[in-house]
Amino acid sequence: MNTEHTAALDLDDATQQANQEITEAYDKRVYTSNAFPFSSPGHLRAAAHLYGLESVPWKTPGCWN
């Protein structure tokens, strides 16, 4: 291997190490769930109906149609 190729490999190892550290820090972070009620499927279907739009048929068992 020439020197340039070896330096590129070292950079790749350093990049992989940095990515691993970022991944571990990201996985340790606690995130809260802040779902928006107005983006629920039922609300979106109702809004589509009010605006005269067709929505995707809702075929989930146990849900109202």
Side-chain angles (χ1 to χ4, degrees), residues 4 6 16 20 27 29 32 34 42 44 53-54 61 63 65:
E4 290 177 22
T6 304
Q16 288 177 0
Q20 183 65 33
D27 289 344
R29 174 124 172 114
T32 58
N34 296 320
L44 293 175
L53 302 172
E54 291 186 31
C63 294
N65 287 329

Side-chain angles (χ1 to χ4, degrees), residues 1-60:
M1 280 189 219
N2 61 23
T3 307
E4 290 177 22
H5 187 66
T6 304
L9 289 177
D10 291 340
L11 179 61
D12 289 339
D13 290 341
T15 302
Q16 288 177 0
Q17 179 64 29
N19 285 340
Q20 183 65 33
E21 291 171 9
I22 292 169
T23 300
E24 289 172 2
Y26 181 84
D27 289 344
K28 290 178 185 176
R29 174 124 172 114
V30 177
Y31 291 93
T32 58
S33 176
N34 296 320
F36 299 106
F38 52 84
S39 65
S40 68
H43 189 276
L44 293 175
R45 285 177 54 91
H49 177 75
L50 290 173
Y51 285 100
L53 302 172
E54 291 186 31
S55 61
V56 177
W58 196 351
K59 302 284 185 182
T60 305

